[in-house]
Structures are given as C-alpha cells and as structure tokens.
Amino acid sequence: MNASRLEAIRELDRDYGMFYSLSEDAALESAEFHFSAKDNLTTVDHETTAGSRMLSGWRPPFDAAAVESLRGAGGALLGKTSMDEFGFGTFSVNSAFAVPRNPHDRERSCGGSSGGAACAAALIDGHISLGVSTGGSVSCPAAFCGVVGFTPTYGRVSRHGLLDYGSSLDKVGMLSADCASIAERFPLMAGPDRRDPTSCGHPEHSERSAARTVGVPKQSLQGIPEDVLAVFNEALEVVRGDMGLDVVEVDIPVFNYAQPAYYIIATSEASTNLARYGGMRYGARGEDLDTHFDRYFRQVRSAGFGGEAKRRILLGTFTRMVGYRDRYYLKALQVRQALIAEYRRAFASCDLLLAPTMPFVAPRFDEVEAMSPLEIYLADHLTIPPNLAGMPHISLPCGELDGMPLGMQFTADHWHEDRLLKAGVEWDRRSEYPVPEARA
Amino acid sequence: MDSETVRRVALLARLELSEEEIESYSKDLSEILDHFSLLDELEGLEDYGFNPVEVADVLRDDEPGQDIPAEDLMKDMDTYQDYVRGPRLS
C-alpha cells in the first residue's frame, strides 16, 4: 500500500468514521494483504479501547490470536475499527469515540456492533475486517453495509486477546466485500489455541460436499415487513433456481424465545466480565487513592462506562441475584440447550438454514435515537438464534430496498463452516453486490 | 424494576448513579424484564450447559513460566518501588 492510497483511506475515514486509529504507511508497504481489527481485539501497535473511555490510551502487551495469525501469514494491520462500547449495541452509536457512517448513506447507521469493520470492508478494495459477534455483531452491520459477514462456530477461532463481552457467546469473525476473500483467509485463524481452552478438542476445519437442501425456519419470516420479505423471496428463487438447491420449510419453535434468553445470558456474563475494570490494572484510573476502595471503584466505573454499558451491567447483575437466578439465568441456559436440540432436528432434513438477516434496512441516526432500549434489543431477533446456539452463519447481500442493501443469512450446524463458505462463494458468482460511490 | 431495586443492584455492581439515571434505568429495565417474562411460557426444560459446544479440559504442565514480563504489565499501573498502588481498604 503506497502513501497516496493510505491518504485516500484517511480522507474517506474523515467522512465515515470507520477507524479509531490507522497504521503508518511504512509498516504497510511490503504486506501481502491488509486487514483491520475491531477495537476489542488486542494489538501491540495500536491502542485497544473497545470503544470505551474505560480503556482510553491502553496499549496492550500482546496481539489477539486472530491478529497474530493474520500477521503471521503476511498480513499487515491497517487499523482498529470503531464499534459499540464493548460490543453493546446494534447501531455502533454507543461509542466513546467515532461513530461510523453507512457507506451507502452517511445519514444512516452502519449497524453494530462491528460497524467500523463493515464500513471498512465496503469502502476499501480487497480489504478483510476482523469483527466480533456475540449476538449478531457481524451479520447485522454486514447486511446494513452491503458486504459479506462471516461468523464461525463458537470455539473455532481462539478468543485469546478478545476483550470479553459474553464469554460463552463471543466469536471472532470476518467481513469483506465478497465471500471468496473470506474463504481464502479464514483457515489462517481457525483451529485450537491452548491459550483459549474453548477452542480446543473440536473437529478440524474440513471440506464436505456442498449443501443440497436449504431449510427456511417459518418463525424467521413471521412479522417481517412485506417489502423486505419480497426481496428475500426473490433471493430465495435464485437459491432454488440458479444454485439448484432444494428449499424446504422447517419448524424451530424455540426460535422466538432466543432473543430474551440471549440478553439474559449476554448481560449476566458481561456484568461479571466488566467487574475487572476497577481503575487499578489498566485503563482509566481514579484520582484519589486515599478514598475507600468501594467508593474508588464506583467512581472510576461510573465515569468510565457509557450509558448502555451501565444498563447491561445492571440487567446482568439483577438476573444473577439470589431469588432471580433460576427464573432468568438458569432458564435462559435451558432455552439455549433446547434451541441447539431444535437446530439439530432441523439439520436432519437440510444442510443449511436461510433467513433474512435484519428485518429492515439501515435506519437513519434520528430513527435510532427515537428507539427505546427494548426496541433496539428486539431488532436483533433474527441474528440472535444462531449466535446463542454457537452455530456458524454468514450474511450475504441479497438485494436493495430504497437504495439501501439488505442481507440474507445462511446458518450451518456446528463445525460446518465449509458448507457456508461454499454457498457464499456460489452466491458471489451469481450476484452483483452494492458498491458505494466512495471507494479507496 | 423499581428505583429501590435499581439502587441496590447498582451498589452490588459498584456503579454510582444520579437520580435521573436511576429513574431512567428503572423504566427501561422494567420494560425489558416484562419482555423477558415471555420465557415463563416454556415449561419442562431441564438440560442446560454453560457453553454452546462441548469444551475439553486443557491442562498445561505445572511448570513456572511468565508469558508477559512484569514491567510490561506494570506500565499501565500506578506503582511505587515495584508495588501496585491501590485505594484504601478501610
């Protein structure tokens, strides 16, 4: 990457807010490829803030495993991408720093929480963005920005160096302008890493025969606006006709219960994970060490966390409290297990599942502003089920509505990423993806 | 979630909230918890797990080692003569 191209990217970034920090050109010139990392992945040469004032200025002493893998294969880190604080959001507006703007309309959100990653994938030619998904943070922004967003099985990629949100839900994924680029680079970072035990002891990434049958969960189409459904149905005809796949309807009754179960597990885990931010080991510090430790921690945390982070800490603390734990946390764990069992039953009759990714196109920022926290949580109801169940999934651009991209999402059984990527590459060949006017 | 409960939870979570924040979170969290009651419809579920996939035990040999030099970690801390400074315990 030469200096003029980097300057063009800097220029774009001033308009779109996709990066918190960009690398210097000297480090980029000899690289085989360039990638960016969401800012909740640690990097030795860039601050890692996860979009939070709590970590402003923090320079980690090690690279995240996924970053390390791509650097080891000749990749150079272009920069750190903007995001919702600790991944807490659907529209990338909950950030202490830059808010990314949609590459197809700057008055609209990129989606979240990997909004900057999706924006960079859309605006920078040949770019690979590392994103992180807990409940849909790769698929949602991919759909809103008109790019491909791939989330592997939980445990397929090491979480070493990923700043935890929900430890049983977080997955490192990839976003790019096409699926072929992801299929080429994904094996670089897949596989066991002893520094993350949840990545060990799993089947290896391998090649199976391509999918032949696609199931559409009937619950995933309930309540979807007709204009969104019309675009999805057109895409489904291409899947059936051009791709030659059999399409069947499947029934996953627990699908509709996944959203509350997810928010209970995610916030329960987040509230314990964020207990580590107390103003002593890294990040924000308090001013007065002469104060009692309880007050000191309260002061640091209250000043360092944003509004949505506090909301999720409160919610997750409550759902784990004595008297409420069985009703909320334990019940949510049971719902997750039931959902996995229902996915398994569905995969007995089909190889992949397909559904719309999001129920609407990227909203304008004023529309996001008018939404209540519950309305925002409900917007994730299509991306949550595979994330809660740890199933791999991929969002692919499938058409446009009012000039804005829409996405559809394939889901596969645990460890069947190869089938998803094959279907994605086939979809690449048959589709014209939306291209933003501004590019670098 | 009423205001008193928000106060109690905030204390446990070590958060200091203004009266305005308490009122606002009380309203938001009440709506969210009402929605969570949807899960009460599901009965008879027994199985559960803490991860969505089987997770193996991974043990390393019990040998002392240091992945990151102490000075690299201490650069982010308030220190005095190699001790980490913290707030008062009483």
Side-chain angles (χ1 to χ4, degrees):
Chain A
M1 180 173 290
N2 58 31
S4 66
R5 176 132 190 261
L6 187 63
E7 186 45 43
I9 292 170
R10 280 188 202 287
E11 186 69 32
L12 268 183
D13 191 43
R14 279 190 274 275
D15 290 337
Y16 289 91
M18 55 193 150
F19 289 106
Y20 289 151
S21 62
L22 273 163
S23 295
E24 295 303 318
D25 49 344
L28 302 169
E29 280 177 8
S30 58
E32 287 181 31
F33 65 97
H34 300 96
F35 68 98
S36 56
K38 187 175 177 178
D39 202 37
N40 55 354
L41 293 164
T42 57
T43 46
V44 293
D45 47 355
H46 287 259
E47 282 184 19
T48 297
T49 68
S52 181
R53 271 192 305 276
M54 188 61 90
L55 286 171
S56 182
W58 183 51
R59 183 71 72 90
F62 63 95
D63 275 342
V67 172
E68 185 182 75
S69 301
L70 296 193
R71 286 199 215 257
L77 182 70
L78 178 59
K80 301 297 293 294
T81 51
S82 47
M83 58 179 287
D84 285 297
E85 181 176 14
F86 291 108
F88 300 154
T90 305
F91 301 110
S92 292
V93 294
N94 300 325
S95 169
F97 313 111
V99 171
R101 293 176 170 272
N102 194 289
H104 298 274
D105 179 351
R106 291 200 298 141
E107 298 308 311
R108 290 176 186 267
S109 162
C110 281
S113 63
S114 308
C119 190
L123 293 178
I124 302 171
D125 273 338
H127 189 69
I128 290 276
S129 300
L130 289 178
V132 173
S133 180
T134 307
S137 289
V138 166
S139 281
C140 163
F144 283 174
C145 293
V147 299
V148 178
F150 170 64
T151 305
T153 309
Y154 174 82
R156 175 62 91 194
V157 176
S158 170
R159 290 182 295 115
H160 177 70
L162 162 61
L163 305 188
D164 295 311
Y165 163 5
S167 307
S168 77
L169 297 158
D170 296 338
K171 300 156 293 276
V172 181
M174 286 178 146
L175 301 96
S176 191
D178 58 54
C179 187
S181 307
I182 292 172
E184 182 187 353
R185 308 287 183 201
F186 170 63
L188 298 173
M189 60 181 203
D193 174 4
R194 290 178 65 83
R195 297 168 298 183
D196 170 15
T198 60
S199 72
C200 299
H202 305 312
E204 283 183 17
H205 180 57
S206 58
E207 296 295 324
R208 288 171 194 76
S209 57
R212 297 169 65 91
T213 307
V214 171
V216 177
K218 66 178 184 188
Q219 289 79 8
S220 71
L221 303 183
Q222 291 165 358
I224 303 297
E226 280 188 15
D227 48 4
V228 174
L229 207 51
V231 174
F232 175 74
N233 283 333
E234 270 183 43
L236 199 56
E237 282 312 305
V238 179
V239 170
R240 200 192 318 258
D242 289 14
M243 286 175 73
L245 300 176
D246 293 331
V247 176
V248 297
E249 184 184 85
V250 296
D251 190 16
I252 305 184
V254 176
F255 197 94
N256 292 335
Y257 299 89
Q259 188 268 350
Y262 163 79
Y263 271 99
I264 291 168
I265 296 174
T267 57
S268 294
E269 293 182 358
S271 64
T272 57
N273 280 324
L274 268 59
R276 73 190 58 166
Y277 300 107
M280 283 183 60
R281 288 181 293 172
Y282 34 65
R285 277 190 210 152
E287 287 172 9
D288 185 10
L289 283 172
D290 227 15
T291 191
H292 185 267
F293 74 92
D294 242 344
R295 187 167 170 70
Y296 176 87
F297 293 147
R298 280 204 305 272
Q299 284 174 343
V300 172
R301 289 164 61 79
S302 303
F305 290 134
E308 182 58 27
K310 289 178 192 171
R311 186 178 293 109
R312 294 196 190 201
I313 291 170
L314 291 170
L315 187 56
T317 304
F318 178 78
T319 54
R320 288 183 296 110
M321 276 167 59
V322 173
Y324 299 102
R325 180 184 173 275
D326 286 3
R327 180 178 178 194
Y328 293 111
Y329 181 62
L330 185 61
K331 187 66 168 278
L333 292 178
Q334 290 167 336
V335 171
R336 168 156 72 184
Q337 214 61 29
L339 179 66
I340 292 170
E342 288 193 359
Y343 266 121
R344 286 274 152 71
R345 276 195 288 277
F347 285 125
S349 63
C350 61
D351 304 311
L352 297 173
L353 297 172
L354 185 60
T357 307
M358 294 298 290
F360 43 72
V361 297
R364 293 191 315 271
F365 287 110
D366 62 309
E367 292 172 325
V368 173
E369 183 87 13
M371 293 172 82
S372 73
L374 178 59
E375 286 171 325
I376 292 173
Y377 293 2
L378 288 169
D380 300 335
H381 75 278
L382 294 169
T383 60
I384 278 174
N387 277 283
L388 179 64
M391 302 284 172
H393 51 281
I394 190 166
S395 179
L396 300 160
C398 73
E400 293 183 16
L401 189 62
D402 302 327
M404 293 302 294
L406 277 168
M408 64 178 189
Q409 181 174 268
F410 279 113
T411 299
D413 201 355
H414 288 150
W415 319 116
H416 289 200
E417 288 89 352
D418 53 304
R419 281 197 164 143
L420 280 180
L421 294 170
K422 275 196 179 105
V425 170
E426 285 299 310
W427 187 254
D428 276 355
R429 291 184 187 135
R430 286 166 172 79
S431 309
E432 276 188 32
Y433 294 159
V435 179
E437 281 179 24
R439 297 273 289 169
Chain B
M1 195 188 295
D2 60 37
S3 304
E4 265 324 293
T5 309
V6 174
R7 275 195 187 85
R8 191 154 60 96
V9 175
L11 193 68
L12 281 173
R14 292 199 165 102
L15 290 173
E16 222 166 44
L17 303 177
S18 66
E19 283 306 310
E20 197 183 331
E21 283 179 308
I22 288 169
E23 198 179 314
S24 164
Y25 286 133
S26 169
K27 177 177 168 291
D28 297 344
L29 295 173
S30 295
E31 280 178 16
I32 293 164
L33 290 171
D34 281 349
H35 172 66
F36 286 177
S37 63
L38 183 66
L39 296 185
D40 296 342
E41 292 176 8
L42 290 175
E43 290 177 347
L45 302 179
E46 288 178 2
D47 293 345
Y48 66 91
F50 293 102
N51 286 296
V53 298
E54 291 279 331
V55 173
D57 284 334
V58 178
L59 302 175
R60 61 172 172 77
D61 294 336
D62 190 14
E63 290 174 359
Q66 191 169 22
D67 292 336
I68 302 169
E71 56 268 27
D72 287 352
L73 297 173
M74 289 175 72
K75 72 179 170 49
D76 294 312
M77 303 172 187
D78 190 349
T79 56
Y80 175 73
Q81 293 182 351
D82 285 349
Y83 290 95
V84 178
R85 291 165 52 124
R88 298 170 64 91
L89 292 175
S90 59

